[in-house]
Amino acid sequence: MTFGEQPAYLRVAGDLRKKIADGLLPPHTRLPSQARIREEYGVSDTVALEARKVLMAEGLVEGRSGSGTYVRELPVPRRIARSGYRPAGGATPFRQEQADAEARGTWESSSEQAEAGAAVAERLGIKPGERVMCTKYVFREAGEAVMLSTSWEPLAVTGRTPVMLPEEGPLGGMGVVERMAAIDVVVDNVTEEVGARPGLAEELLALGGVPGHVVLVVHRTFFASGLAVEMAEVVIPADRFRVAYHLPVK
């Protein structure tokens, strides 16, 4: 293979991908069989199979048990807006994760005490094994699961206080800023790092995704005078949503 030349299976996958994009293979159309691909492109069964695997991994096609492989109807990406951490009037967990004022959503959550793993401990600036309150959320809009979030708060900060459980007590269901202010901890900074990775099986099951799909991951940390008081991992299906940031100019 000369420099710059693609393997045969990628060339075949690229041509099929273009046919899908151009509408020659519209949604719900059955993908040409392995034998048809072999004949049409003059390739081996192995090449035809690998080309189909590429399209499957990219989420362009899906297998239907006992029926074959079909072109998927791809969703039109919607926005998840993020614009800071203190919306007017306080921040519910949904509003904290989706700053679009037009969005209306609900959430489900569960909290339990846990020991901080190495990655969480590093972000919180504590030692691995220290106790944290771990809260897991599923956010829904019109009944559709749109985001997952797992947050960790050091019990050295919130333990034995009225806000130890994020979803219970007098400020249950409010945002981090309001809850921390109630125990005289003033949040003054927040950082977010955005990345992407293949979704875990349990994440895709909760979000209604296809195995192998990519998710956007937002790592957010709240600080009070340099002390990390909460960190969260927010998981968003990348094929259905785009994360839009609205940042004020100072």
Side-chain angles (χ1 to χ4, degrees):
M1 183 172 64
T2 60
F3 178 76
E5 184 180 348
Q6 284 187 321
Y9 77 95
L10 288 181
R11 294 200 303 273
V12 173
D15 189 66
L16 291 170
R17 186 190 301 115
K18 186 174 186 304
K19 289 180 178 179
I20 293 172
D22 291 345
L24 298 177
L25 288 172
H28 310 296
T29 299
R30 186 171 181 176
L31 193 72
S33 66
Q34 187 170 316
R36 178 72 179 275
I37 293 174
R38 182 190 65 212
E39 294 170 4
E40 183 175 345
Y41 293 95
V43 297
S44 67
D45 279 331
T46 300
V47 169
L49 177 61
E50 290 302 314
R52 288 160 62 91
K53 285 182 178 179
V54 168
L55 299 178
M56 184 92 58
E58 292 176 350
L60 295 175
V61 301
E62 61 185 356
R64 298 180 186 175
S65 180
S67 180
T69 303
Y70 292 80
V71 177
R72 291 184 65 233
E73 183 168 4
L74 299 181
V76 177
R78 291 171 283 163
R79 290 191 321 146
I80 284 184
R82 304 183 71 80
S83 60
Y85 60 92
R86 195 194 287 267
T92 66
F94 186 87
R95 189 63 55 230
Q96 185 170 284
E97 303 300 357
Q98 162 64 294
D100 186 346
E102 299 300 317
R104 293 290 182 269
T106 60
W107 66 93
E108 304 154 17
S109 67
S110 62
S111 297
E112 64 178 359
Q113 294 190 32
E115 294 183 355
V120 171
E122 181 179 2
R123 288 184 175 274
L124 289 175
I126 61 178
K127 295 179 180 179
E130 286 195 30
R131 303 294 291 176
V132 293
M133 184 62 69
C134 176
T135 304
K136 296 184 178 182
Y137 294 90
V138 179
F139 295 95
R140 301 183 187 277
E141 189 172 350
E144 176 190 6
V146 297
M147 284 181 288
L148 305 177
S149 178
T150 304
S151 70
W152 296 267
E153 295 179 353
L155 287 175
V157 175
T158 62
R160 299 179 183 276
T161 74
V163 300
M164 184 174 74
L165 291 168
E167 294 297 304
E168 297 182 20
L171 289 178
M174 296 300 291
V176 174
V177 175
E178 288 76 14
R179 291 176 46 251
M180 293 298 165
I183 57 173
D184 297 323
V185 175
V186 179
V187 173
D188 54 18
N189 190 24
V190 59
T191 65
E192 290 197 352
E193 300 175 10
V194 183
R197 60 167 169 76
L200 303 178
E202 56 268 29
E203 293 170 341
L204 295 174
L205 179 63
L207 292 168
V210 175
H213 271 194
V214 172
V215 294
L216 300 173
V217 181
V218 180
H219 284 127
R220 184 198 63 222
T221 310
F222 285 98
F223 294 92
S225 300
L227 173 70
V229 297
E230 190 251 26
M231 69 87 56
E233 181 179 85
V234 182
V235 176
I236 303 165
D239 64 329
R240 284 186 277 151
F241 296 96
R242 298 289 181 267
V243 178
Y245 282 85
H246 301 269
L247 305 176
V249 177
K250 295 183 178 180

